[in-house]
Amino acid sequence: MNPVLVLGAGPAGLSAASELAGLGAPTLLVEKETYLGGNPKRWHYSLLAPDLRPAEEILGPLIERVEHHPQIELHVGSQVSSAEIAGNGYRISLRSKEGVQTREVAAVVLATGFDHFDSRRKFEYGYGHFPDVVDFKELEGMIHDDRVLRPSDGKAPGRIAWVLCVGSRDIQIGNPWCCRMGCVVSIKQAVEIRQKHPEIQAYIYYMDIRTYGLWEDLYWKSMQDYGVKFIRGRIGAISMAEGGRRLIATGEDTILSRPTEVPFDMIVLASGMEPGTGTKEASDLFHVPVGPEGFLTPKLSDMNTIDSGLPGIFLAGAATGPKAIPDAITEGMGAALRAFQYARG
Amino acid sequence: MNPVLVLGAGPAGLSAASELAGLGAPTLLVEKETYLGGNPKRWHYSLLAPDLRPAEEILGPLIERVEHHPQIELHVGSQVSSAEIAGNGYRISLRSKEGVQTREVAAVVLATGFDHFDSRRKFEYGYGHFPDVVDFKELEGMIHDDRVLRPSDGKAPGRIAWVLCVGSRDIQIGNPWCCRMGCVVSIKQAVEIRQKHPEIQAYIYYMDIRTYGLWEDLYWKSMQDYGVKFIRGRIGAISMAEGGRRLIATGEDTILSRPTEVPFDMIVLASGMEPGTGTKEASDLFHVPVGPEGFLTPKLSDMNTIDSGLPGIFLAGAATGPKAIPDAITEGMGAALRAFQYARG
């Protein structure tokens, strides 16, 4: 049997490759970056929802399984540069530092993931300009290293604010969709920080708190047990005061119906999800259409998000839209099942 | 090979059974009700998210596949009344009208689904007492039959209000969790009604609008294209006026910070999700623990929601928490994969 191609080695792609190998299918896992684990690895995510365990503890065994499985041929720092139909499968060109090789694959799983919104595009927040305005993916790294300090002077911040929906639910930016995880991750970060550093005050500016499903528990605990404060309103701009020692968040409290100007030591932008850089390339290579948001479009005939409707092409994870990690991993299983069935004919 | 037992024939169980059969595994599908399709079938759901196609169109082929697949042995109106470990699998008693039979199964998929919250428990809303206070699952049936009429007098309502989070995010009731789909389904219903009956006015009372992921689009369209009105606030009570011809919703508009008393012709309660009646029984039979909310608890070691951590027992759909239909169907695929791998040894 020709191998199954899995494109992307984030949670969804790792899951798909691991399950395909478990089913006995030879698997070609191709990742353009030089590491496995996608965004959780890249940004040193600290605790992973839904059970708030360290990312290494959860993704580590999956990564190790994929690295050492005899049925998995791993190509990091590699890209698929062309694809054409060949028999019931595809003939692809695989480009790496070593050169280009041609391979035949029996089926394809596209798990091209997401990128965090580039917060510099929201220029009124001063990200990239004011050092103490950080992105929540960077705060993940700080929490992971237990060094939650103001970048400007290395001092412990007294008051931190989270600004939700940065580059999400924002029609002006062109990203009308909800990132689905920004509320939960921000609340989790505020709780993590308040647990270790109860002297730091935590404020979360929100439009709607979206702790769907069983997440509500974390939201309640964050208020009742950890004293996280929630302010309903959208921050319009962030500026500097006190000669750069303080940040001022200007906005409107939509419950009190009044404008607010509040000083903070550090402001964290909860940047949304955009389609991964490889998603457009995958769409071009394999002719899977993208929707207006730029995510791959599943066929949905049976209302699963796995089938592309094209022969031998299956989809998993944030390639088709914002996803939580457990959902991405479950979708990897579904894509493995479908690709296996297709490949064995 | 002994068959794999799938318990529950809603979207997740149908998906699991269909995929197991597709993999070549003999499958025993057991459903306590006398029909296939779970809640979507029971309550005559009209259009199914995410692409708003008729439920029959989407679930019909899946039901037909399961009914006619030679590898699937179907038991409706049946229950598993006991289970014990036997070899690597389980020995179960299967009880139906015809009597009790003993069977050996190689693996088990628990897809016991959810029940809608019983709105009568929220007595201050008068459901079951005022005929024109209806539950949103009943409205689904009305929309499906194109008969959106006041139950009290059969007349077309002029003004309808939806009350979100009925039996959800409600600590007093003992249901702190978010039902995950109430916002989306209510918005969808308001749009469906405004499309066909633009003379009916639609108001939605909400705490937070949770149109996560790519749903935001529907929320925007409902306001801009269909004139659905959103009021942020919780309704405290529903009473009757004008000798029973009008309902009064009493609450607080939390954006305007003022109490409101608004008359409506019909009020729709968006009742949340509770664990299915078979979930507790399944937990007792197969020793899968339930969490504080009463849903089955996945092990989450690899952060998938499928593995129970118990040998040969796998979980899918709303048995483990509120789920959207596409997620339930994808989880059915994941559970089929895992059960197949376990059963073949």
Side-chain angles (χ1 to χ4, degrees), chain A residues 19 22-23 49 53 58 65 169 176 178 180 206 208-211 213 216 232 255 257 300 302-303 326 337-338 341 344, chain B residues 19 22-23 49 53 58 65 169 176 178 180 208-211 213 216 232 255 257 300 302-303 326 337-338 341 344:
Chain A
E19 300 298 340
L23 285 164
R53 278 187 297 143
I58 293 170
R65 207 148 65 230
R169 302 182 68 193
C178 161
R180 186 166 171 164
Y206 72 100
D208 295 277
I209 287 292
R210 294 187 169 174
T211 43
E216 201 75 15
R232 188 174 192 272
I255 290 185
S257 294
L300 286 174
D302 278 351
M303 203 173 259
L337 171 93
R338 275 286 200 267
Q341 286 188 301
R344 76 173 181 180
Chain B
E19 299 299 339
L23 285 163
R53 278 186 298 142
I58 292 170
R65 208 148 62 229
R169 302 183 67 193
C178 161
R180 187 166 168 161
D208 296 276
I209 287 292
R210 294 187 169 173
T211 42
E216 202 74 17
R232 188 174 191 272
I255 290 185
S257 295
L300 285 175
D302 278 352
M303 202 172 261
L337 172 92
R338 276 286 201 268
Q341 284 187 303
R344 77 174 181 179

Short mmCIF file of all heavy atoms in Angstrom, two decimals, chain A residues 19 22-23 49 53 58 65 169 176 178 180 206 208-211 213 216 232 255 257 300 302-303 326 337-338 341 344, chain B residues 19 22-23 49 53 58 65 169 176 178 180 208-211 213 216 232 255 257 300 302-303 326 337-338 341 344:
data_model
loop_
_atom_site.label_atom_id
_atom_site.label_comp_id
_atom_site.label_asym_id
_atom_site.label_seq_id
_atom_site.Cartn_x
_atom_site.Cartn_y
_atom_site.Cartn_z
N GLU A 19 -2.69 7.39 14.65
CA GLU A 19 -3.78 6.43 14.46
C GLU A 19 -3.63 5.65 13.17
O GLU A 19 -3.92 4.45 13.12
CB GLU A 19 -5.14 7.13 14.48
CG GLU A 19 -5.47 7.87 15.76
CD GLU A 19 -5.55 6.99 16.99
OE1 GLU A 19 -5.73 5.76 16.84
OE2 GLU A 19 -5.41 7.51 18.09
N GLY A 22 -1.19 3.09 13.80
CA GLY A 22 -1.80 2.08 14.66
C GLY A 22 -2.69 1.13 13.88
O GLY A 22 -2.83 -0.05 14.23
N LEU A 23 -3.30 1.63 12.81
CA LEU A 23 -4.14 0.78 11.96
C LEU A 23 -3.30 -0.04 10.99
O LEU A 23 -3.83 -0.88 10.26
CB LEU A 23 -5.13 1.65 11.17
CG LEU A 23 -6.33 2.22 11.94
CD1 LEU A 23 -6.99 3.35 11.18
CD2 LEU A 23 -7.34 1.13 12.26
N ALA A 49 -6.01 23.17 28.35
CA ALA A 49 -7.40 22.86 28.64
C ALA A 49 -7.72 21.55 27.92
O ALA A 49 -7.10 21.24 26.92
CB ALA A 49 -8.28 23.99 28.13
N ARG A 53 -3.48 20.38 32.43
CA ARG A 53 -2.21 19.70 32.68
C ARG A 53 -1.14 20.31 31.78
O ARG A 53 -1.46 20.88 30.74
CB ARG A 53 -2.35 18.20 32.40
CG ARG A 53 -2.98 17.44 33.58
CD ARG A 53 -2.95 15.95 33.34
NE ARG A 53 -3.73 15.60 32.18
CZ ARG A 53 -3.40 14.64 31.30
NH1 ARG A 53 -2.30 13.96 31.48
NH2 ARG A 53 -4.18 14.37 30.29
N ILE A 58 0.95 16.20 28.01
CA ILE A 58 -0.11 15.69 27.13
C ILE A 58 0.41 15.43 25.72
O ILE A 58 0.17 14.37 25.14
CB ILE A 58 -1.29 16.67 27.09
CG1 ILE A 58 -1.96 16.68 28.46
CG2 ILE A 58 -2.28 16.28 26.01
CD1 ILE A 58 -2.97 17.77 28.62
N ARG A 65 5.51 8.96 20.20
CA ARG A 65 4.96 7.83 19.45
C ARG A 65 5.18 8.06 17.95
O ARG A 65 5.56 7.13 17.22
CB ARG A 65 3.46 7.72 19.76
CG ARG A 65 2.89 6.34 19.61
CD ARG A 65 1.75 6.08 20.61
NE ARG A 65 0.58 6.90 20.41
CZ ARG A 65 -0.02 7.59 21.39
NH1 ARG A 65 0.44 7.56 22.62
NH2 ARG A 65 -1.10 8.30 21.14
N ARG A 169 -14.03 38.48 15.86
CA ARG A 169 -15.32 39.16 15.96
C ARG A 169 -15.15 40.64 15.62
O ARG A 169 -15.73 41.51 16.27
CB ARG A 169 -15.91 38.99 17.38
CG ARG A 169 -16.09 37.55 17.79
CD ARG A 169 -16.71 37.43 19.17
NE ARG A 169 -18.09 37.90 19.14
CZ ARG A 169 -18.81 38.16 20.23
NH1 ARG A 169 -18.28 38.00 21.42
NH2 ARG A 169 -20.05 38.57 20.14
N PRO A 176 -14.59 38.28 11.10
CA PRO A 176 -15.84 38.31 11.87
C PRO A 176 -15.99 37.13 12.84
O PRO A 176 -16.82 37.18 13.74
CB PRO A 176 -16.92 38.27 10.80
CG PRO A 176 -16.27 37.65 9.61
CD PRO A 176 -14.83 38.05 9.67
N CYS A 178 -15.43 34.08 15.71
CA CYS A 178 -14.99 33.91 17.10
C CYS A 178 -13.85 32.90 17.12
O CYS A 178 -13.91 31.88 16.44
CB CYS A 178 -16.16 33.40 17.92
SG CYS A 178 -15.76 32.62 19.51
N ARG A 180 -13.00 31.07 19.51
CA ARG A 180 -13.48 29.91 20.23
C ARG A 180 -12.71 29.57 21.51
O ARG A 180 -13.25 28.93 22.39
CB ARG A 180 -13.47 28.69 19.29
CG ARG A 180 -14.07 27.48 19.88
CD ARG A 180 -14.35 26.45 18.81
NE ARG A 180 -14.74 25.20 19.42
CZ ARG A 180 -15.33 24.20 18.80
NH1 ARG A 180 -15.61 24.32 17.53
NH2 ARG A 180 -15.65 23.10 19.42
N TYR A 206 -14.17 42.03 28.13
CA TYR A 206 -14.81 41.07 27.23
C TYR A 206 -16.03 41.67 26.55
O TYR A 206 -16.60 42.67 27.03
CB TYR A 206 -15.23 39.82 28.02
CG TYR A 206 -16.40 40.03 28.94
CD1 TYR A 206 -17.69 39.64 28.57
CD2 TYR A 206 -16.24 40.64 30.19
CE1 TYR A 206 -18.77 39.84 29.41
CE2 TYR A 206 -17.33 40.85 31.04
CZ TYR A 206 -18.59 40.46 30.64
OH TYR A 206 -19.67 40.67 31.45
N ASP A 208 -18.56 39.14 25.11
CA ASP A 208 -19.39 38.06 25.65
C ASP A 208 -18.40 37.03 26.17
O ASP A 208 -17.45 36.69 25.47
CB ASP A 208 -20.25 37.39 24.57
CG ASP A 208 -21.28 38.32 23.97
OD1 ASP A 208 -22.35 38.47 24.56
OD2 ASP A 208 -21.00 38.88 22.90
N ILE A 209 -18.62 36.52 27.36
CA ILE A 209 -17.75 35.44 27.84
C ILE A 209 -18.25 34.13 27.26
O ILE A 209 -19.41 33.77 27.43
CB ILE A 209 -17.74 35.40 29.38
CG1 ILE A 209 -16.95 36.58 29.94
CG2 ILE A 209 -17.12 34.07 29.89
CD1 ILE A 209 -15.45 36.55 29.68
N ARG A 210 -17.36 33.44 26.55
CA ARG A 210 -17.76 32.21 25.85
C ARG A 210 -17.06 30.99 26.42
O ARG A 210 -16.13 30.46 25.84
CB ARG A 210 -17.48 32.36 24.35
CG ARG A 210 -18.38 33.44 23.76
CD ARG A 210 -18.29 33.54 22.27
NE ARG A 210 -19.37 34.39 21.80
CZ ARG A 210 -19.53 34.78 20.54
NH1 ARG A 210 -18.68 34.40 19.63
NH2 ARG A 210 -20.55 35.53 20.20
N THR A 211 -17.53 30.59 27.57
CA THR A 211 -17.02 29.38 28.21
C THR A 211 -18.06 28.29 27.98
O THR A 211 -18.79 27.91 28.89
CB THR A 211 -16.78 29.63 29.71
OG1 THR A 211 -17.89 30.36 30.24
CG2 THR A 211 -15.52 30.43 29.94
N GLY A 213 -19.98 24.72 26.88
CA GLY A 213 -19.89 23.36 27.42
C GLY A 213 -19.54 23.39 28.90
O GLY A 213 -20.08 24.20 29.67
N GLU A 216 -17.75 26.46 31.99
CA GLU A 216 -18.34 27.48 32.88
C GLU A 216 -17.73 27.42 34.27
O GLU A 216 -17.53 28.44 34.93
CB GLU A 216 -19.86 27.24 32.96
CG GLU A 216 -20.65 28.45 33.39
CD GLU A 216 -20.77 29.49 32.29
OE1 GLU A 216 -20.49 29.16 31.11
OE2 GLU A 216 -21.11 30.64 32.61
N ARG A 232 -17.31 44.21 31.15
CA ARG A 232 -17.89 44.05 29.83
C ARG A 232 -17.70 45.32 29.03
O ARG A 232 -18.29 46.37 29.34
CB ARG A 232 -19.38 43.71 29.93
CG ARG A 232 -19.97 43.34 28.56
CD ARG A 232 -21.40 42.87 28.69
NE ARG A 232 -21.88 42.26 27.48
CZ ARG A 232 -22.44 42.93 26.46
NH1 ARG A 232 -22.60 44.23 26.53
NH2 ARG A 232 -22.86 42.28 25.39
N ILE A 255 -21.76 47.79 30.52
CA ILE A 255 -22.79 47.53 31.54
C ILE A 255 -23.07 48.83 32.30
O ILE A 255 -24.22 49.19 32.52
CB ILE A 255 -22.36 46.39 32.48
CG1 ILE A 255 -22.40 45.06 31.71
CG2 ILE A 255 -23.29 46.32 33.70
CD1 ILE A 255 -22.13 43.83 32.51
N SER A 257 -22.41 51.66 31.06
CA SER A 257 -22.65 52.68 30.02
C SER A 257 -21.83 53.94 30.27
O SER A 257 -22.36 55.06 30.22
CB SER A 257 -24.14 53.05 29.94
OG SER A 257 -24.88 51.95 29.49
N LEU A 300 -19.58 18.24 4.42
CA LEU A 300 -20.68 18.23 5.38
C LEU A 300 -21.88 17.41 4.93
O LEU A 300 -22.97 17.56 5.50
CB LEU A 300 -21.15 19.66 5.72
CG LEU A 300 -20.22 20.47 6.64
CD1 LEU A 300 -20.74 21.90 6.77
CD2 LEU A 300 -20.10 19.84 8.02
N ASP A 302 -22.53 14.28 5.34
CA ASP A 302 -22.95 13.51 6.51
C ASP A 302 -22.75 14.32 7.78
O ASP A 302 -22.79 13.79 8.88
CB ASP A 302 -22.13 12.22 6.64
CG ASP A 302 -22.67 11.12 5.75
OD1 ASP A 302 -23.76 11.31 5.18
OD2 ASP A 302 -22.01 10.08 5.63
N MET A 303 -22.52 15.59 7.63
CA MET A 303 -22.32 16.51 8.74
C MET A 303 -21.10 16.18 9.60
O MET A 303 -21.04 16.56 10.77
CB MET A 303 -23.57 16.64 9.60
CG MET A 303 -23.53 17.96 10.34
SD MET A 303 -24.99 18.35 11.25
CE MET A 303 -25.75 19.49 10.12
N PRO A 326 -8.65 19.28 22.17
CA PRO A 326 -9.27 17.94 22.18
C PRO A 326 -10.08 17.65 20.92
O PRO A 326 -10.08 16.53 20.41
CB PRO A 326 -10.17 17.96 23.42
CG PRO A 326 -9.63 19.04 24.28
CD PRO A 326 -9.06 20.07 23.35
N LEU A 337 -9.30 7.33 10.28
CA LEU A 337 -10.27 6.28 9.93
C LEU A 337 -10.66 6.37 8.46
O LEU A 337 -10.64 5.39 7.72
CB LEU A 337 -11.51 6.43 10.82
CG LEU A 337 -12.71 5.56 10.45
CD1 LEU A 337 -12.66 4.27 11.24
CD2 LEU A 337 -14.00 6.29 10.73
N ARG A 338 -11.03 7.57 8.04
CA ARG A 338 -11.48 7.75 6.67
C ARG A 338 -10.36 7.50 5.67
O ARG A 338 -10.57 6.85 4.64
CB ARG A 338 -11.97 9.19 6.49
CG ARG A 338 -13.38 9.42 6.89
CD ARG A 338 -14.30 8.80 5.84
NE ARG A 338 -15.62 9.40 5.96
CZ ARG A 338 -16.60 8.90 6.69
NH1 ARG A 338 -16.43 7.78 7.36
NH2 ARG A 338 -17.76 9.50 6.74
N GLN A 341 -9.67 3.76 5.36
CA GLN A 341 -10.69 3.08 4.56
C GLN A 341 -10.50 3.35 3.07
O GLN A 341 -10.62 2.46 2.24
CB GLN A 341 -12.09 3.53 4.99
CG GLN A 341 -12.51 2.93 6.32
CD GLN A 341 -13.95 3.24 6.61
OE1 GLN A 341 -14.33 4.41 6.70
NE2 GLN A 341 -14.77 2.22 6.80
N ARG A 344 -7.16 1.58 1.67
CA ARG A 344 -7.17 0.13 1.50
C ARG A 344 -8.17 -0.29 0.41
O ARG A 344 -8.23 -1.46 0.02
CB ARG A 344 -7.45 -0.60 2.81
CG ARG A 344 -8.89 -0.57 3.24
CD ARG A 344 -9.16 -1.43 4.44
NE ARG A 344 -10.59 -1.33 4.72
CZ ARG A 344 -11.21 -1.95 5.69
NH1 ARG A 344 -10.53 -2.70 6.53
NH2 ARG A 344 -12.50 -1.80 5.88
N GLU B 19 -19.57 3.45 10.90
CA GLU B 19 -18.13 3.35 10.63
C GLU B 19 -17.58 1.98 11.01
O GLU B 19 -16.72 1.43 10.32
CB GLU B 19 -17.36 4.44 11.38
CG GLU B 19 -17.74 5.86 11.01
CD GLU B 19 -17.48 6.20 9.56
OE1 GLU B 19 -16.67 5.52 8.90
OE2 GLU B 19 -18.10 7.15 9.06
N GLY B 22 -18.45 -0.26 8.36
CA GLY B 22 -17.60 0.05 7.21
C GLY B 22 -16.20 -0.54 7.33
O GLY B 22 -15.57 -0.88 6.34
N LEU B 23 -15.72 -0.65 8.55
CA LEU B 23 -14.41 -1.26 8.79
C LEU B 23 -14.48 -2.78 8.77
O LEU B 23 -13.47 -3.47 8.87
CB LEU B 23 -13.86 -0.80 10.14
CG LEU B 23 -13.31 0.64 10.22
CD1 LEU B 23 -13.18 1.09 11.67
CD2 LEU B 23 -11.97 0.75 9.50
N ALA B 49 -27.81 22.93 12.06
CA ALA B 49 -26.55 23.65 11.91
C ALA B 49 -25.45 22.62 11.66
O ALA B 49 -25.59 21.48 12.08
CB ALA B 49 -26.28 24.41 13.21
N ARG B 53 -29.38 22.75 6.73
CA ARG B 53 -30.14 21.91 5.83
C ARG B 53 -31.15 21.11 6.64
O ARG B 53 -30.97 20.91 7.84
CB ARG B 53 -29.20 20.97 5.06
CG ARG B 53 -28.56 21.65 3.85
CD ARG B 53 -27.77 20.65 3.03
NE ARG B 53 -26.69 20.08 3.80
CZ ARG B 53 -26.30 18.81 3.71
NH1 ARG B 53 -26.94 17.97 2.91
NH2 ARG B 53 -25.31 18.36 4.45
N ILE B 58 -29.96 15.27 6.23
CA ILE B 58 -28.63 14.95 6.75
C ILE B 58 -28.63 13.62 7.50
O ILE B 58 -27.76 12.78 7.28
CB ILE B 58 -28.16 16.08 7.69
CG1 ILE B 58 -27.90 17.34 6.86
CG2 ILE B 58 -26.89 15.65 8.42
CD1 ILE B 58 -27.66 18.55 7.67
N ARG B 65 -28.39 3.80 6.15
CA ARG B 65 -27.19 2.97 6.08
C ARG B 65 -27.17 1.99 7.25
O ARG B 65 -26.86 0.82 7.10
CB ARG B 65 -25.95 3.86 6.11
CG ARG B 65 -24.76 3.29 5.42
CD ARG B 65 -23.87 4.38 4.79
NE ARG B 65 -23.31 5.31 5.75
CZ ARG B 65 -23.37 6.64 5.61
NH1 ARG B 65 -23.98 7.17 4.58
NH2 ARG B 65 -22.81 7.43 6.50
N ARG B 169 -26.23 27.29 32.88
CA ARG B 169 -25.51 28.39 33.53
C ARG B 169 -26.33 28.90 34.71
O ARG B 169 -26.43 30.10 34.95
CB ARG B 169 -25.25 29.54 32.54
CG ARG B 169 -24.46 29.11 31.31
CD ARG B 169 -24.17 30.27 30.39
NE ARG B 169 -23.25 31.22 31.02
CZ ARG B 169 -23.02 32.43 30.56
NH1 ARG B 169 -23.65 32.86 29.47
NH2 ARG B 169 -22.18 33.22 31.15
N PRO B 176 -24.64 24.32 36.31
CA PRO B 176 -23.78 25.49 36.03
C PRO B 176 -23.26 25.56 34.61
O PRO B 176 -22.81 26.61 34.17
CB PRO B 176 -22.63 25.32 37.03
CG PRO B 176 -22.59 23.86 37.35
CD PRO B 176 -24.01 23.37 37.24
N CYS B 178 -22.77 25.46 30.40
CA CYS B 178 -23.36 26.06 29.19
C CYS B 178 -23.81 24.94 28.27
O CYS B 178 -23.08 23.96 28.08
CB CYS B 178 -22.29 26.91 28.51
SG CYS B 178 -22.57 27.31 26.77
N ARG B 180 -24.11 25.06 25.16
CA ARG B 180 -23.27 25.13 23.97
C ARG B 180 -24.02 25.39 22.67
O ARG B 180 -23.44 25.91 21.72
CB ARG B 180 -22.47 23.82 23.85
CG ARG B 180 -21.45 23.86 22.77
CD ARG B 180 -20.48 22.70 22.91
NE ARG B 180 -19.68 22.59 21.72
CZ ARG B 180 -18.53 21.95 21.65
NH1 ARG B 180 -18.05 21.38 22.71
NH2 ARG B 180 -17.86 21.89 20.55
N ASP B 208 -24.77 36.03 27.61
CA ASP B 208 -23.65 36.22 26.69
C ASP B 208 -24.05 35.49 25.42
O ASP B 208 -24.51 34.35 25.50
CB ASP B 208 -22.36 35.57 27.22
CG ASP B 208 -21.85 36.19 28.49
OD1 ASP B 208 -21.14 37.21 28.41
OD2 ASP B 208 -22.14 35.66 29.58
N ILE B 209 -23.86 36.10 24.29
CA ILE B 209 -24.14 35.37 23.04
C ILE B 209 -22.94 34.51 22.71
O ILE B 209 -21.82 35.01 22.59
CB ILE B 209 -24.48 36.36 21.90
CG1 ILE B 209 -25.85 36.97 22.10
CG2 ILE B 209 -24.42 35.64 20.54
CD1 ILE B 209 -27.03 36.03 21.96
N ARG B 210 -23.18 33.22 22.56
CA ARG B 210 -22.07 32.28 22.34
C ARG B 210 -22.15 31.63 20.97
O ARG B 210 -22.54 30.48 20.83
CB ARG B 210 -22.06 31.24 23.46
CG ARG B 210 -21.73 31.88 24.79
CD ARG B 210 -21.54 30.91 25.92
NE ARG B 210 -20.96 31.63 27.06
CZ ARG B 210 -20.78 31.10 28.26
NH1 ARG B 210 -21.11 29.84 28.48
NH2 ARG B 210 -20.25 31.81 29.22
N THR B 211 -21.80 32.41 20.00
CA THR B 211 -21.76 31.90 18.63
C THR B 211 -20.30 31.67 18.29
O THR B 211 -19.69 32.43 17.54
CB THR B 211 -22.41 32.90 17.66
OG1 THR B 211 -21.99 34.22 18.02
CG2 THR B 211 -23.91 32.83 17.75
N GLY B 213 -16.63 29.94 17.15
CA GLY B 213 -16.12 29.48 15.85
C GLY B 213 -16.75 30.28 14.73
O GLY B 213 -16.87 31.51 14.81
N GLU B 216 -20.48 33.11 14.15
CA GLU B 216 -20.69 34.55 14.30
C GLU B 216 -21.48 35.14 13.13
O GLU B 216 -22.29 36.05 13.28
CB GLU B 216 -19.33 35.24 14.42
CG GLU B 216 -19.36 36.60 15.07
CD GLU B 216 -19.58 36.51 16.57
OE1 GLU B 216 -19.39 35.42 17.14
OE2 GLU B 216 -19.96 37.53 17.17
N ARG B 232 -29.71 42.20 26.35
CA ARG B 232 -28.85 41.54 27.31
C ARG B 232 -29.48 41.62 28.69
O ARG B 232 -29.62 42.72 29.27
CB ARG B 232 -27.47 42.17 27.35
CG ARG B 232 -26.50 41.36 28.20
CD ARG B 232 -25.10 41.92 28.12
NE ARG B 232 -24.13 41.02 28.70
CZ ARG B 232 -23.79 41.01 29.98
NH1 ARG B 232 -24.34 41.85 30.83
NH2 ARG B 232 -22.88 40.14 30.44
N ILE B 255 -27.70 46.02 30.11
CA ILE B 255 -26.93 47.07 29.43
C ILE B 255 -27.51 48.43 29.79
O ILE B 255 -26.79 49.35 30.13
CB ILE B 255 -26.90 46.84 27.91
CG1 ILE B 255 -26.04 45.61 27.61
CG2 ILE B 255 -26.35 48.06 27.18
CD1 ILE B 255 -25.80 45.31 26.16
N SER B 257 -29.25 48.86 32.42
CA SER B 257 -29.35 48.86 33.89
C SER B 257 -30.72 49.31 34.37
O SER B 257 -30.83 50.18 35.24
CB SER B 257 -28.26 49.75 34.52
OG SER B 257 -27.00 49.23 34.27
N LEU B 300 -8.85 11.37 29.04
CA LEU B 300 -8.13 12.56 28.58
C LEU B 300 -6.62 12.42 28.62
O LEU B 300 -5.90 13.42 28.56
CB LEU B 300 -8.55 13.81 29.37
CG LEU B 300 -9.92 14.40 29.03
CD1 LEU B 300 -10.24 15.55 29.98
CD2 LEU B 300 -9.96 14.91 27.59
N ASP B 302 -4.54 11.29 26.39
CA ASP B 302 -4.04 11.85 25.14
C ASP B 302 -4.90 13.03 24.71
O ASP B 302 -4.84 13.48 23.58
CB ASP B 302 -4.08 10.80 24.02
CG ASP B 302 -2.87 9.89 24.07
OD1 ASP B 302 -1.95 10.15 24.86
OD2 ASP B 302 -2.86 8.91 23.31
N MET B 303 -5.71 13.52 25.62
CA MET B 303 -6.60 14.65 25.39
C MET B 303 -7.62 14.42 24.28
O MET B 303 -8.12 15.35 23.68
CB MET B 303 -5.83 15.93 25.12
CG MET B 303 -6.70 17.12 25.41
SD MET B 303 -5.86 18.67 25.35
CE MET B 303 -5.57 18.95 27.08
N PRO B 326 -22.29 18.03 14.55
CA PRO B 326 -21.10 17.59 13.79
C PRO B 326 -20.00 17.03 14.70
O PRO B 326 -19.32 16.07 14.33
CB PRO B 326 -20.63 18.88 13.10
CG PRO B 326 -21.81 19.78 13.09
CD PRO B 326 -22.60 19.45 14.31
N LEU B 337 -13.10 3.91 15.42
CA LEU B 337 -11.68 3.58 15.20
C LEU B 337 -11.09 2.88 16.41
O LEU B 337 -10.45 1.82 16.30
CB LEU B 337 -10.92 4.88 14.93
CG LEU B 337 -9.40 4.77 14.87
CD1 LEU B 337 -8.94 4.53 13.45
CD2 LEU B 337 -8.74 6.02 15.41
N ARG B 338 -11.28 3.46 17.57
CA ARG B 338 -10.72 2.89 18.78
C ARG B 338 -11.31 1.50 19.10
O ARG B 338 -10.59 0.57 19.44
CB ARG B 338 -11.02 3.80 19.97
CG ARG B 338 -10.05 4.91 20.12
CD ARG B 338 -8.74 4.37 20.68
NE ARG B 338 -7.98 5.43 21.27
CZ ARG B 338 -7.07 6.15 20.63
NH1 ARG B 338 -6.78 5.88 19.37
NH2 ARG B 338 -6.44 7.12 21.24
N GLN B 341 -9.93 -1.12 16.72
CA GLN B 341 -8.54 -1.50 17.06
C GLN B 341 -8.52 -2.42 18.27
O GLN B 341 -7.80 -3.40 18.31
CB GLN B 341 -7.71 -0.25 17.35
CG GLN B 341 -7.31 0.50 16.09
CD GLN B 341 -6.35 1.64 16.40
OE1 GLN B 341 -6.66 2.51 17.20
NE2 GLN B 341 -5.20 1.60 15.78
N ARG B 344 -10.09 -6.03 17.40
CA ARG B 344 -9.31 -6.96 16.57
C ARG B 344 -8.04 -7.39 17.31
O ARG B 344 -7.32 -8.26 16.84
CB ARG B 344 -9.00 -6.35 15.21
CG ARG B 344 -7.90 -5.33 15.23
CD ARG B 344 -7.51 -4.86 13.85
NE ARG B 344 -6.42 -3.90 14.02
CZ ARG B 344 -5.81 -3.29 13.04
NH1 ARG B 344 -6.18 -3.51 11.79
NH2 ARG B 344 -4.84 -2.44 13.27
#
